[in-house]
Amino acid sequence: MQQLNFPTYSFRFKNSENKVSIFDAIRKKFVILQPEEWVRQHCVWYLIEEKNYPKSLINVEKELIINDLKKRYDIVVFNPDGSIHLIVECKAPKIAIKQNTFDQVARYNLALNATYLMVTNGLNHYYCQMDFDAEKYQFLKEIPNYKK
């Protein structure tokens, strides 16, 4: 797999029926290793190791309904009170981050009301903080570390 713009992490891999799988510590199972999954797993470990978010507050690949359509978010980080702190939208490294990617995560956020948004293709990372009163977002250099 391609080298990403994240620190190096030790992943567990499994090879079965000529398909490589990577262990997802959040879902507690092996998942097929696709380019987007490679980015998602790096991002999960970045949140845990670099930003100190507890695994217990991280959720991966869950379904949500937006305008009667079933969608799946990549990563959500909850606050201890159950509200949503961060939504992460992951793309494969070959997918350029464009306006439609920000539009996608913004649509998800209409339903989830996260304070922070992150968009990454593993090479480029973008971070935003929501301003719900002004109905806009402000770009940040990085997302904040977890605070208890």
Side-chain angles (χ1 to χ4, degrees):
M1 279 277 145
Q2 181 175 351
Q3 179 72 37
L4 301 178
N5 185 16
F6 282 107
T8 303
Y9 301 109
S10 296
F11 295 108
R12 288 174 47 204
F13 297 99
K14 178 174 83 170
N15 202 334
S16 175
E17 299 173 17
N18 292 328
K19 290 187 179 167
V20 176
S21 295
I22 188 168
F23 187 75
D24 183 319
I26 304 302
R27 291 179 274 185
K28 295 182 174 56
K29 66 178 184 176
F30 282 93
V31 291
I32 301 291
L33 183 56
Q34 303 282 352
E36 184 177 314
E37 190 63 47
W38 184 236
V39 172
R40 185 168 25 251
Q41 292 304 314
H42 275 81
C43 194
V44 164
W45 282 103
Y46 169 77
L47 293 170
I48 294 166
E49 295 292 325
E50 315 311 320
K51 295 297 180 178
N52 301 312
Y53 287 95
K55 285 183 196 176
S56 61
L57 296 178
I58 300 174
N59 210 316
V60 175
E61 280 235 298
K62 293 285 188 202
E63 190 175 272
L64 69 152
I65 308 288
I66 298 175
N67 297 330
D68 297 326
L69 298 173
K70 290 182 180 182
K71 302 289 184 181
R72 291 183 86 75
Y73 60 71
D74 286 305
I75 303 169
V76 161
V77 179
F78 291 92
N79 291 307
D81 69 3
S83 63
I84 297 179
H85 180 72
L86 168 70
I87 303 172
V88 182
E89 179 60 30
C90 300
K91 298 293 183 191
K94 69 176 193 222
I95 305 292
I97 304 292
K98 296 184 178 168
Q99 185 61 47
N100 61 343
T101 311
F102 289 103
D103 293 346
Q104 179 184 1
V105 76
R107 276 192 307 276
Y108 290 0
N109 205 32
L110 289 174
L112 299 174
N113 293 317
T115 306
Y116 297 95
L117 308 176
M118 177 179 175
V119 175
T120 182
N121 63 4
L123 305 173
N124 300 298
H125 317 301
Y126 300 93
Y127 313 101
C128 306
Q129 182 173 6
M130 296 302 300
D131 180 344
F132 291 104
D133 294 332
E135 296 182 356
K136 63 181 184 176
Y137 50 83
Q138 173 184 340
F139 283 94
L140 304 171
K141 288 190 172 153
E142 60 182 60
I143 55 169
N145 289 347
Y146 178 72
K147 294 180 188 81
K148 291 181 184 176

